[in-house]
Amino acid sequence: MTLSFKTVDGKQIYQAPSRAWLDLDLAALRRNADALARRAGVPLIPMVKADGYGVGAGPVVATLEPTDPWGYGVATVREGSGLRRLGVRRPIIVFTPMLASDFKEASAADLTPTLCSAEAIQEWSKTGGPYHLAIDTGMNRSGVCWRDVSAVAAAVQAYPPAGAYTHFHSAELDDGSSAVQEERFRTALRMLGTKVPFVHTANSASIVRGGAEGWDAVRPGVFLYGVGSGSTVGMRPDPVVHLRARVVELRELGAGETVSYGATYVAPGAETIATVAAGYGDGYPRALSNRGSALLNGAPVPVRGLVTMDMTMFDVSHTQCQVGDIVTLIGSDSGNTLTVEDVAHAAQMSPYEVLTGLSPRLDRCHHGDIGAAV
């Protein structure tokens, strides 16, 4: 959307929308990408699937293009075709295995599929396009099993892949599993009987913890969008996603009065309750009912009662509040931050769920320096 600004004391101040919205800090996204590139020492293949993890694939790609990535990663042919319509000319890898019925569309959009069977390789070879070989080393989700690579060796030798990769299942853990998967991957590559010219394994967590492991590129995802890789890692991303909403009503409760559906919250004494114009219809998790918190003027304010589809109630008894004030449900306010991980932990969800669950009905305000909002 087009950002609105007003002049206050000679400064241009960003004028925020009136209900609920996402402030998306593209400068932070760029800083996160630059930090990963320095750490890895090889080109990036940024993952921009699910509309750039909810940030917006178009603005994300525009922000990352100056970093000279090798290409981009998506999950579907439609996502890849959408990037082509935006003018992306770099390689685009579709990481979810596609059916042969999708090959024609993928080829027409100059997309690079990931293949994992001799039959798929033989069928794709009719298009004459490049592909990457997916090798499963323990995720047990997709790819040819590392033990069974000999089953595709003849097809690979007849129509060699442009690249090969595997995917770590627990890169954020210090459990040694990534090293095991690396060794399995190296074994599988040797079993192919032909050299693969371009190899990649590292996702966000493995980049932060180990760099590129000697391969040709890395595939950062969630770190780009402001989600870290565990408390034991010193390298932290800058926040990118800031979910904000306006206070639309205030009311005073007495002891024994209840809040929201099901009367699950009973006030123990006098409280001031602010109704904020965002709920699970906007992607603010219902699981935060009676357990989440937000920031108002930098101070934490707890959720009271069940989160509803369009509104959430907060206890603002201990901070100044008036109708129209901005509450930060995810992100930074006045020097304090509720990270995506903080919110996900409180909701007992994955940070990926929180990011990709943010509703399209939220205005997306893309800018490089959020600064002050009014």
Side-chain angles (χ1 to χ4, degrees), residues 344-360:
H345 179 76
Q348 297 182 326
M349 296 169 63
S350 160
Y352 295 78
E353 288 180 89
V354 174
L355 274 182
T356 60
L358 294 169
S359 171

Side-chain angles (χ1 to χ4, degrees), residues 6-366:
K6 66 184 296 185
T7 301
V8 177
D9 295 330
K11 295 181 180 180
Q12 287 288 95
I13 303 297
Y14 160 49
Q15 190 161 7
S18 60
R19 192 191 77 88
W21 67 97
L22 293 173
D23 277 324
L24 300 166
D25 189 344
L26 298 178
L29 175 75
R30 172 64 186 269
R31 290 194 297 273
N32 294 338
D34 288 342
L36 290 175
R38 288 192 299 270
R39 174 72 168 166
V42 294
L44 305 184
I45 307 175
M47 301 302 295
V48 296
K49 59 187 179 178
D51 195 27
Y53 287 55
V55 172
V60 166
V61 167
T63 300
L64 295 178
E65 270 293 297
T67 70
D68 196 24
W70 177 88
Y72 296 99
V74 298
T76 70
V77 173
R78 177 178 292 183
E79 290 175 343
S81 298
L83 292 185
R84 290 294 185 225
R85 288 193 295 273
L86 290 172
V88 173
R89 294 291 174 261
R90 300 178 190 273
I92 298 173
I93 304 175
V94 181
F95 281 91
T96 301
M98 65 178 72
L99 300 176
S101 56
D102 292 324
F103 284 0
K104 182 178 180 180
E105 182 181 354
S107 178
D110 191 25
L111 306 180
T112 302
T114 58
L115 306 179
C116 50
S117 72
E119 295 77 15
I121 293 169
Q122 290 161 1
E123 185 66 25
W124 178 257
S125 70
K126 299 174 185 177
T127 71
Y131 72 95
H132 283 217
L133 182 69
I135 299 175
D136 178 19
T137 57
M139 181 78 166
N140 288 310
R141 180 177 66 173
S142 63
V144 59
C145 178
W146 67 279
R147 299 186 191 89
D148 303 325
V149 164
S150 58
V152 301
V156 164
Q157 291 166 22
Y159 192 66
Y165 73 93
T166 194
H167 189 69
F168 298 130
H169 57 70
S170 302
E172 72 282 1
L173 302 180
D174 297 317
D175 61 359
S177 63
S178 294
V180 171
Q181 288 189 258
E182 283 276 356
E183 186 53 39
R184 290 175 176 176
F185 185 55
R186 293 178 191 277
T187 298
L189 291 176
R190 289 193 295 268
M191 292 169 61
L192 287 175
T194 187
K195 181 174 174 56
V196 179
F198 187 81
V199 181
H200 45 104
T201 64
N203 59 8
S204 288
S206 50
I207 299 166
V208 169
R209 290 170 179 267
E213 303 295 343
W215 302 119
D216 301 297
V218 293
R219 305 188 307 268
V222 74
F223 189 99
L224 293 170
Y225 307 100
V227 176
S229 302
S231 59
T232 63
V233 178
M235 185 176 178
R236 297 288 304 171
D238 289 342
V240 173
V241 176
H242 306 261
L243 171 58
R244 310 196 200 275
R246 299 277 186 181
V247 174
V248 292
E249 279 201 31
L250 288 169
R251 66 194 64 245
E252 301 296 329
L253 295 191
E257 292 193 85
T258 64
V259 180
S260 197
Y261 292 119
T264 61
Y265 180 77
V266 180
E271 290 186 3
T272 302
I273 299 296
T275 298
V276 173
Y280 61 77
D282 301 286
Y284 189 65
R286 192 173 186 271
L288 293 172
S289 300
N290 289 311
R291 63 189 307 167
S293 63
L295 297 172
L296 174 61
N297 302 317
V301 291
V303 175
R304 297 302 194 211
L306 297 184
V307 175
T308 70
M309 184 180 294
D310 312 304
M311 291 171 275
T312 304
M313 283 63 73
F314 294 88
D315 180 359
V316 297
S317 304
H318 304 292
T319 188
Q320 294 293 316
C321 182
Q322 60 185 4
V323 170
D325 280 355
I326 297 172
V327 174
T328 297
L329 292 83
I330 300 172
S332 301
D333 176 24
S334 302
N336 288 326
T337 300
L338 278 173
T339 67
V340 174
E341 298 106 302
D342 292 334
V343 174
H345 179 76
Q348 297 182 326
M349 296 169 63
S350 160
Y352 295 78
E353 288 180 89
V354 174
L355 274 182
T356 60
L358 294 169
S359 171
R361 84 174 180 181
L362 290 166
D363 288 333
R364 262 82 171 159
C365 303
H366 298 92

